[in-house]
Amino acid sequence: MKLRDAPSACPSLWRWLPCPPAELRLDLVLSSGQSFRWWESSPGAWTGVLGGRVWTLRQDGDRLWYTVYGEEEEHREERDECPAKAAKLSAAETDGILRDYFQLDVGLSPLYHAWGAADPLFRKVANDFPGVRVLRQDPVECLFSFICTSNNHISRITAMIERLCQAFGRCLCCLDSRPFHAFPSLSALTGPPPPRSAPVIVPWPRLHPLSASAVPLPGADAEARLRALGFGYRAKFVSGSARAIAEGLGSEGLCQLRTVPYAEARRVLCALPGVGAKVADCVCLLSLDKAEAVPVDTHVWHIARQRYGVALGGKSLTPRAYQEIGDFFRGLWGPRAGWAQAVLFCADLRKGQKPASSQHQA
DNA sequence: TCCGACCCTGCTCA
DNA sequence: ATGAGCAGGGTCG
């Protein structure tokens, strides 16, 4: 199958939702470290896996355009390349998946206004970064992705998760000969390795050298395979958490943390290996509907002290300091403090980069 | 309560 | 130009 850039080439394969840039900026949201599975396949077009299907998204004015691969009536002979082809989705269903993922029912403009009224610093930054909203991700994908973020940076996290999906997730389809894999299921991360005739080696730019050289060892357990994929000490955390969830609440139970209070969800998550306060808060905010969760990393800690003058004792980010910083921002921004923090975080990530308008110049 | 170790990468500074 | 040194979006013991 071929990648699709824009609706103009084949309009019948695209749909759109009304969505002004003030409510969503695809480029800011999909590249700011909330999810690590979106790729700018051509300028302004974002391709990635969502809900077990491959999508390309694009914004044009007040429209959010999308296309889903593998939903066409013809080309059924390509089923051989896509053994995991699922039932066709209706337009209402795909619309719904996107609305849910981007939480489009949450109006962002009033929130920006309120945060700006309460916080002059926010107002200053937010002018240049409209449309930054929090995604509503799958809890399993979110948890295991953020276990990989410790002591790490976005480019490496992205490469690691790509390798994780290639090694443990099922192939959904190939676009311009690039394979796209689903995020691994819990059982894929716990159980014995599936018999694989040959390792998947992907000829594509920006792939980590390890993906070609250190392929998973057939017969090795999940942790060893993850180590071979360059996960380092996180291999133990990923396999350990997968096992703990599989033997405990299950992926459904993880999902049901959406309905319990923030503190309870956080407590359950922190009991998992490789999950501390920061990772737990990321999972709470980005997949469990806890809009008040404020993940505090060293970066946010720095901002809190330098720009907001939060006075805290020690030189290191102790659990107590962590709690106080979160409480400070919740007091400042209110019940969706995590959403406001995402805006500042995105702005800080882009500080020093070229403005978006000149991104694609030489 | 406070470190140091942990895997690995990319940056800085001789 | 090249390599040692070190911090980086944390967690655990």
Side-chain angles (χ1 to χ4, degrees):
Chain A
M1 227 180 314
K2 296 190 79 63
L3 265 165
R4 299 168 199 147
D5 281 6
S8 49
C10 197
S12 66
L13 295 178
W14 291 73
R15 287 180 55 81
W16 60 272
L17 298 173
C19 186
E23 286 295 318
L24 172 65
R25 274 277 303 273
L26 220 42
D27 56 332
L28 297 180
V29 171
L30 296 183
S31 68
S32 60
Q34 287 193 44
S35 165
F36 304 96
R37 301 222 62 207
W38 293 95
W39 165 61
E40 191 170 21
S41 46
S42 64
W46 294 86
T47 300
V49 177
L50 167 60
R53 287 175 171 77
V54 184
W55 306 61
T56 294
L57 315 177
R58 162 183 288 285
Q59 256 182 314
D60 178 23
D62 286 348
R63 291 181 179 185
L64 171 60
W65 288 91
Y66 73 85
T67 184
V68 187
Y69 298 90
E71 299 289 300
E72 308 78 5
E73 289 301 341
E74 52 279 282
H75 301 113
R76 281 307 187 193
E77 72 279 8
E78 291 185 25
R79 197 188 294 260
D80 293 338
E81 291 175 34
C82 315
K85 190 179 287 292
K88 181 175 166 56
L89 292 173
S90 71
E93 284 169 324
T94 53
D95 283 4
I97 288 170
L98 273 196
R99 297 192 63 80
D100 181 71
Y101 186 63
F102 288 106
Q103 312 205 55
L104 293 181
D105 293 335
V106 178
L108 199 56
S109 301
L111 289 172
Y112 265 58
H113 187 79
W115 296 325
D119 175 9
L121 226 52
F122 179 92
R123 189 162 59 242
K124 191 159 151 21
V125 170
N127 263 335
D128 295 326
F129 296 89
V132 178
R133 57 173 53 245
V134 168
L135 298 173
R136 188 171 194 253
Q137 304 185 52
D138 173 70
V140 169
E141 173 170 342
C142 191
L143 171 66
F144 289 101
S145 295
F146 279 86
I147 286 175
C148 299
T149 62
S150 74
N151 240 311
N152 216 340
H153 49 265
I154 289 179
S155 60
R156 184 171 169 231
I157 298 164
T158 305
M160 280 170 54
I161 291 175
E162 178 65 23
R163 293 196 297 272
L164 177 77
C165 295
Q166 284 177 19
F168 293 89
R170 66 181 207 277
C171 187
L172 298 173
C173 70
C174 289
L175 301 179
D176 292 354
S177 73
R178 175 190 171 147
F180 284 80
H181 294 257
F183 198 88
S185 66
L186 209 49
S187 55
L189 294 173
T190 54
R196 296 186 85 79
S197 49
V200 180
I201 298 179
V202 188
W204 202 262
R206 291 191 56 217
L207 263 193
H208 192 279
L210 275 178
S211 63
S213 57
V215 296
L217 310 165
D221 64 10
E223 180 184 339
R225 296 178 71 201
L226 288 163
R227 281 199 173 264
L229 290 172
F231 278 61
Y233 61 89
R234 304 170 196 85
K236 184 156 40 93
F237 294 157
V238 170
S239 59
S241 278
R243 191 166 300 276
I245 293 172
E247 292 169 356
L249 49 160
S251 49
E252 315 76 25
L254 192 61
C255 246
Q256 280 164 12
L257 294 179
R258 284 177 167 169
T259 64
V260 311
Y262 168 42
E264 168 69 3
R266 199 172 187 277
R267 192 186 59 73
V268 171
L269 292 172
C270 283
L272 296 168
V275 181
K278 194 268 182 178
V279 170
D281 275 336
C282 288
V283 177
C284 278
L285 176 66
L286 302 174
S287 72
L288 296 179
D289 299 337
K290 311 301 180 237
E292 72 269 47
V294 178
V296 180
D297 51 36
T298 53
H299 209 73
V300 173
W301 184 46
H302 206 70
I303 293 175
R305 288 195 305 175
Q306 291 218 319
R307 293 164 65 187
Y308 287 89
V310 179
L312 291 160
K315 293 194 298 287
S316 63
L317 185 54
T318 61
R320 178 178 161 160
Y322 188 104
Q323 181 67 37
E324 287 183 21
I325 291 167
D327 289 343
F328 169 78
F329 283 122
R330 279 183 284 272
L332 181 63
W333 294 324
R336 285 194 186 269
W339 284 54
Q341 190 258 18
V343 178
L344 286 202
F345 188 86
C346 178
D348 229 85
L349 201 62
R350 304 222 153 203
K351 193 173 58 184
Q353 295 183 9
K354 294 177 189 173
S357 58
S358 61
Q359 245 179 29
H360 301 292
Q361 296 174 2

